[in-house]
Amino acid sequence: MTSTDLTTDAALSTSAASVFIPAPVTPYQGDIARYWDGEARPVNLRLGDVDGLYHHHYGIGSVDRTALGDADDGASEKKLIAELHRLESAQAELLLDHLGPMERDDTLVDAGCGRGGSMVMAHQRFGCKVEGVTLSAKQADFANQRARELGIEDHVHARVCNMLGTPFGTGQIAASWNNESSMYVDLHDLFAEHSRILAAGGRYVTITGCWNPRYGQPSKWVSQINAHFECNIHSRREYLRAMADNRLVPQAVIDLTAATLPYWELRATSSLVTGIEEAFINSYKDGSFQYLLIAADRV
């Protein structure tokens, strides 16, 4: 995929409210597009097959052991996968909770939308239009196919686009979010773009893993996660500083670290292990890595 390919869809979707000039696509972003276009791990698809909501993030909440049944049950693995999916959908529900009330004529933006599960959930909850952006043509095609299957293609749409330079008009978006996608970009550039597209008083929410400044530097576990996903995990301090510099004022900062551990410990016992589970579990336990929700208002 070339740099031109990554911005073509966005350029063709110029907002009527303003002329869209796509931000430059770097070689790194091209690498990320190729990574997700070629990603073939079964975990996201197997979990999404439970109810047709395909996520690209992790879960929160206590494991319902009664739902898992007996380990000797022939359906135990299927039940475990269903429980993992319930936890990841609970994570998306929590993010949507922090968007606040939305009107049916509002437009929301999912920056780094993956296969579109959160977009579908947002439309189902609020009834409004949801636009997703991703560098991966494969993900965008998948998300748009699901929207057609659900009959909501007029309200839910994904496009191949650089999240640092979107086609949306200045001040036209009611709320936006990054769900485990902000580690692929510079935070100042990211929050400048969210600040640009959000209406005054609009809400921005992120759920993300970040390294803990109190630990001193990224731990070996955090370094392993970076290498596994070809990303660059930021510190908690960097998030708050970059938001302040871009007129995004935090209204809630919630530490979800303890809430996400059950998901990882359960996943480590499943057939869907990818080899990165140990790094997540150990980094959360030693305090070097945190899982945060930050909700901020555009002022």
Side-chain angles (χ1 to χ4, degrees):
M1 178 176 292
T2 66
S3 295
T4 301
D5 292 331
L6 295 175
T7 54
T8 297
D9 188 29
L12 291 174
S13 303
T14 301
S15 168
S18 66
V19 176
F20 170 54
I21 302 174
V25 175
T26 65
Y28 170 73
Q29 288 173 312
D31 289 343
I32 297 307
R34 285 187 288 274
Y35 175 90
W36 287 109
D37 280 340
E39 186 264 339
R41 298 187 187 95
V43 57
N44 295 309
L45 291 172
R46 288 282 301 281
L47 270 60
D49 286 344
V50 171
D51 62 4
L53 290 171
Y54 293 87
H55 299 299
H56 272 279
H57 59 74
Y58 309 125
I60 58 169
S62 300
V63 173
D64 181 356
R65 297 290 171 183
T66 61
L68 297 179
D70 192 321
D72 296 328
D73 183 351
S76 61
E77 181 68 8
K78 182 178 180 180
K79 293 177 180 178
L80 189 151
I81 288 170
E83 181 64 5
L84 287 172
H85 182 64
R86 183 186 69 81
L87 297 176
E88 65 173 357
S89 288
Q91 188 262 33
E93 293 284 7
L94 181 68
L95 187 152
L96 298 179
D97 288 344
H98 283 81
L99 293 180
M102 293 292 147
E103 303 296 330
R104 293 184 68 86
D105 59 353
D106 285 335
T107 299
L108 315 181
V109 170
D110 183 349
C113 63
R115 289 185 169 101
S118 295
M119 292 197 296
V120 173
M121 292 175 69
H123 172 68
Q124 290 174 339
R125 178 184 290 207
F126 302 118
C128 57
K129 185 175 183 180
V130 188
E131 296 277 358
V133 300
T134 173
L135 287 174
S136 169
K138 180 179 178 181
Q139 289 183 342
D141 288 345
F142 189 102
N144 289 331
Q145 177 61 32
R146 283 297 298 137
R148 287 190 292 271
E149 291 168 355
L150 294 169
I152 57 175
E153 66 271 25
D154 291 340
H155 297 89
V156 174
H157 177 251
R159 71 187 73 210
V160 180
C161 178
N162 180 358
M163 71 171 75
L164 302 182
T166 65
F168 312 116
T170 297
Q172 299 301 303
I173 302 302
S176 60
W177 67 86
N178 287 93
N179 197 350
E180 296 182 14
S181 56
S182 56
M183 64 287 297
Y184 288 102
V185 293
D186 177 88
L187 291 181
H188 281 273
D189 293 343
L190 176 68
F191 294 149
E193 181 63 0
H194 280 287
S195 183
R196 181 188 72 80
I197 66 175
L198 282 170
R203 172 59 59 91
Y204 170 76
V205 179
T206 185
I207 295 182
T208 186
C210 57
W211 65 268
N212 186 354
R214 292 186 178 182
Y215 193 83
Q217 289 291 331
S219 68
K220 66 177 183 179
W221 303 116
V222 172
S223 296
Q224 285 184 23
I225 296 168
N226 276 334
H228 185 84
F229 293 106
E230 299 184 23
C231 63
N232 180 33
I233 293 166
H234 307 288
S235 72
R236 181 185 64 216
R237 183 182 296 134
E238 290 175 276
Y239 278 92
L240 298 176
R241 182 182 298 129
M243 285 184 179
D245 289 345
N246 288 284
R247 304 185 68 176
L248 294 171
V249 179
Q251 304 300 308
V253 180
I254 304 173
D255 188 341
L256 299 173
T257 306
T260 197
L261 258 175
Y263 166 89
W264 284 102
E265 291 172 337
L266 182 63
R267 178 167 145 173
T269 69
S270 75
S271 63
L272 300 176
V273 292
T274 63
I276 199 60
E277 289 78 13
E278 180 185 21
F280 276 91
I281 292 168
N282 288 337
S283 61
Y284 285 142
K285 286 185 173 179
D286 70 15
S288 63
F289 196 40
Q290 294 178 303
Y291 197 54
L292 293 186
L293 180 150
I294 307 174
D297 287 344
R298 165 66 162 87
V299 299

